[in-house]
Amino acid sequence: MSSSCPRESGHLTRRVALIAAAAAVGGFLFGFDTAVINGAVNAVESNFGLDSVGLGAVVAVTLLGAALGSFSAGRLADRIGRPRTMAAAGAVFLVAAIGSGLSHNVWDLGIWRLLTGYGVGFATVIGPLYISEIAPATVRGRLASLQQLAIVVGIFAALVSDSSVAFALDGADAQVFLGLPAWRWMFLVGVVPALVYLAVAFTVPESPRFLVAHGRVPEARDVLRKLQDLTDEEATVLTDRMAATVRADRPARFRDLLDRRRVLLPVVWVGIGLAALQALVGVDVIFYYSTSMWQSVGFDESAAFALSVLSSLVNVAATVVAMLLIDRVGRRRLLLAGSAGMVVSLVAVAVGFSTATVAADGEPALSAVWGPVALVGANVFVVAFAVSWGPAVWVLLGEMFPNRIRGVALSVCAGANWLAGVLLSFSFPALRSLSLAGSYAVYTFMAMLSWLLVYFFVTETKGRSLEDMQEGATPVTSPKLRA
C-alpha cells in the first residue's frame, strides 16, 4: 500500500469544509423531495381513489426514478464534470416540484414523482462522489457524512413543512391560496431548495480527480492548493498519484466493473450488497409511511404527524453523532454496532405491533404497555440506523472503489439501493394490510443479513487515500484474510 500525501492526511481547511457543505445541498433535496410525500399520502389516496397497490406505486415511482437517475449519474459526471451534473439535478428538482404540485390526476403525479426520483438519483451519486474527491483522507468520513446529514435534515424539513401546512390549514385536504389544497403546497415548497442547489452548482470548483482524468493537471493542482492549502510540491505529488490511477483516454464504462470472467469485481458485489441492505432494513417505511402507519394503530392525525417529526428529529441528532464518530471509530465498527442495534429494536417494534387490537369503534389500537414499546423501538431503530448505516454506507461507497471506476461503480451501487427501495416502498402497503408485525419481522431478517455482510466481507477504509483503493487493496476480505 502506498503512503498518503501528508497534507491530504491531516488538514481540514475552512474552504474545503464550506464547499463540501454546499455540495451536500443535493442531499437536502434528496431527503426533502422523497419524504415530502409522507404528509400527502392519505390526501393523495383519498383524492385519487387509490387502493394499497396504487398508493404503493405512487410512493415507489420516485424510488424507481432514483434508480434510473443513479445508474446514469456516474457516467454523466465522468463526462461533463461534477458541478455540471449538480446543476442538471437542480434543474430536474425545480421542474418536478412544480409539476407535482400542479398535477391533475394520479398518472400526472406519477410522472412528476418519477422525474423527482431521477433528480434524487443524481444527488445520490454526485454528493458522496464529489465530497470524497475533494476531502483530505483523515477527515473524509466526517465531510462525506455531511451528505447524509443533509438528507436527514431534508427529511426533517419535509415533515415539519407537511405538518405545519396541515396544522395551519386544518388538514392536508384544506382548500387555500389559488384554490390549491394544502397537500399540493407540500410539493411546491420544494422549489426553494432546488433554486439554492442550482446556485451552488455554479459556485463550487471541479473535482481535482476529474480534472486529472481529463488531462487538466495544472487546474487540478490549483484546486488542491486552494482547497487543502497545499504547497506546489505537495499538490504535484498528489496529482501524480492521481494520474497513475485513472484513465485519461476515456471515461469508465460498465464493462470496466467486470473481471476476465465477465462477472462483477468482488468489491462491486460488496458495494451492491451494502447499498441494497441499507434500504431493505426498512428505514424508508419510517419516513415515507410513518404518519399513516401510526394512524393505522390508533393515533389520530395530529399525533401521527408529531410522531413522524419526532422520529425525523431523532434521525438528525443521531447523524450528528455519527459524524463525530466515523473518523474515530471507523466505518466497519459503526456498521456492525448499528446492525446489532437495528435487530434488537426491530424485534421490539414487531412484537409491539403484533399486540394491536381492534377497539369498539373498529379502529386498531396498541395497549398502554406496547404502544410506548413500539414507539421507543421505532426511534431506537432510527438511532441505530442513523449512527451507522445511514452515513457510513455512503462514505464507504464514495471511497472504496479505485479512481478509474469510482463514478460508474457508485452509480451501480446507488441504483441497487434505489431498486431495493422500490421493492420496500411498493410492498409495504400490502404487507401492512396482511400483517404490520410481519413486515417488521422481514426487516429484522434483513438487519441480520447486514451484520453478516459487514463481518465477513468489509474491512476498514478509515484514513486511507483514495489512490490506495486499487483492485489489489480493496476493502473486501474474508474471515481467513482478516485473521
Side-chain angles (χ1 to χ4, degrees):
M1 182 184 299
S2 58
S3 60
S4 298
C5 174
R7 284 281 190 172
E8 184 194 7
S9 300
H11 286 77
L12 170 63
T13 66
R14 178 180 298 179
R15 182 176 176 83
V16 75
L18 289 175
I19 289 174
V25 173
F28 180 92
L29 277 159
F30 170 169
F32 187 93
D33 281 346
T34 52
V36 74
I37 191 72
N38 189 303
V41 162
N42 289 343
V44 169
E45 183 178 22
S46 60
N47 276 272
F48 295 141
L50 303 178
D51 57 17
S52 62
V53 174
L55 179 62
V58 168
V59 175
V61 73
T62 304
L63 309 185
L64 177 60
L68 297 174
S70 60
F71 277 128
S72 58
R75 191 168 183 182
L76 182 65
D78 284 341
R79 286 186 175 276
I80 70 173
R82 284 42 168 163
R84 289 182 179 179
T85 306
M86 293 181 196
V92 170
F93 280 124
L94 177 64
V95 172
I98 297 172
S100 296
L102 301 180
S103 55
H104 298 293
N105 54 55
V106 66
W107 294 104
D108 191 18
L109 177 61
I111 290 171
W112 291 115
R113 292 299 290 170
L114 179 70
L115 187 61
T116 297
Y118 202 79
V120 168
F122 271 50
T124 304
V125 173
I126 197 63
L129 176 64
Y130 179 79
I131 295 173
S132 70
E133 290 185 341
I134 67 169
T138 54
V139 292
R140 191 171 55 237
R142 194 185 316 166
L143 291 181
S145 296
L146 286 172
Q147 170 83 355
Q148 182 65 20
L149 179 63
I151 292 170
V152 299
V153 170
I155 293 172
F156 176 70
L159 295 176
V160 169
S161 174
D162 287 353
S163 59
S164 298
V165 169
F167 177 79
L169 305 176
D170 196 26
D173 271 332
Q175 295 290 329
V176 65
F177 193 56
L178 300 181
L180 296 178
W183 66 266
R184 293 185 179 275
W185 290 104
M186 294 176 183
F187 291 121
L188 289 170
V189 170
V191 167
V192 177
L195 289 172
V196 172
Y197 193 43
L198 270 173
V200 163
F202 292 106
T203 60
V204 298
E206 184 56 82
S207 157
R209 287 171 174 85
F210 172 86
L211 294 171
V212 169
H214 285 73
R216 297 157 61 183
V217 178
E219 294 178 60
R221 290 173 185 156
D222 186 56
V223 171
L224 285 169
R225 283 194 296 267
K226 292 178 180 178
L227 287 181
Q228 299 184 21
D229 192 24
L230 302 182
T231 65
D232 289 343
E233 181 180 359
E234 290 166 335
T236 299
V237 170
L238 188 50
T239 53
D240 286 347
R241 296 190 66 218
M242 292 177 187
T245 61
V246 299
R247 291 192 60 167
D249 58 337
R250 62 168 176 82
R253 294 172 289 186
F254 177 79
R255 69 183 184 185
D256 294 321
L257 305 184
L258 307 177
D259 62 18
R260 293 179 180 178
R261 295 172 297 171
R262 315 307 295 172
V263 297
L264 289 173
L265 296 167
V267 68
V268 180
W269 280 118
V270 173
I272 289 172
L274 289 168
L277 285 170
Q278 191 202 46
L280 293 176
V281 295
V283 72
D284 286 350
V285 167
I286 299 292
F287 298 114
Y288 299 164
Y289 287 106
S290 57
T291 300
S292 61
M293 182 182 71
W294 290 119
Q295 285 181 271
S296 72
V297 290
F299 291 89
D300 61 27
E301 183 182 54
S302 62
F305 269 115
L307 290 173
S308 297
V309 172
L310 173 63
S311 294
S312 184
L313 183 60
V314 169
N315 194 19
V316 173
T319 302
V320 173
V321 174
M323 292 179 64
L324 300 176
L325 294 176
I326 196 164
D327 284 322
R328 296 181 182 181
V329 175
R331 290 69 158 141
R332 185 171 183 272
R333 289 182 180 178
L334 279 183
L335 290 172
L336 288 172
S339 293
M342 288 191 294
V343 169
V344 173
S345 56
L346 285 169
V347 167
V349 174
V351 173
F353 284 155
S354 70
T355 66
T357 59
V358 179
D361 59 0
E363 295 296 324
L366 292 174
S367 69
V369 174
W370 286 107
V373 168
L375 178 59
V376 171
N379 283 287
V380 170
F381 168 64
V382 169
V383 170
F385 179 89
V387 299
S388 59
W389 279 76
V393 165
W394 293 114
V395 171
L396 268 173
L397 293 178
E399 65 189 11
M400 67 189 283
F401 301 111
N403 275 340
R404 68 181 187 86
I405 63 168
R406 181 171 296 113
V408 66
L410 183 52
S411 280
V412 169
C413 294
N417 176 266
W418 287 112
L419 288 176
V422 170
L423 175 63
L424 180 82
S425 290
F426 185 78
S427 63
F428 179 71
L431 285 175
R432 180 180 58 183
S433 299
L434 293 174
S435 171
L436 187 57
S439 65
Y440 274 85
V442 173
Y443 308 146
T444 303
F445 176 72
M446 294 299 172
M448 292 177 181
L449 289 182
S450 73
W451 189 93
L452 293 172
L453 175 68
V454 175
Y455 183 79
F456 286 108
F457 296 106
V458 175
T459 58
E460 191 53 71
T461 59
K462 180 183 71 171
R464 294 175 59 184
S465 169
L466 293 183
E467 282 60 55
D468 291 332
M469 307 297 179
Q470 303 311 310
E471 284 84 353
T474 52
V476 183
T477 189
S478 68
K480 183 180 294 185
L481 288 174
R482 192 169 54 251

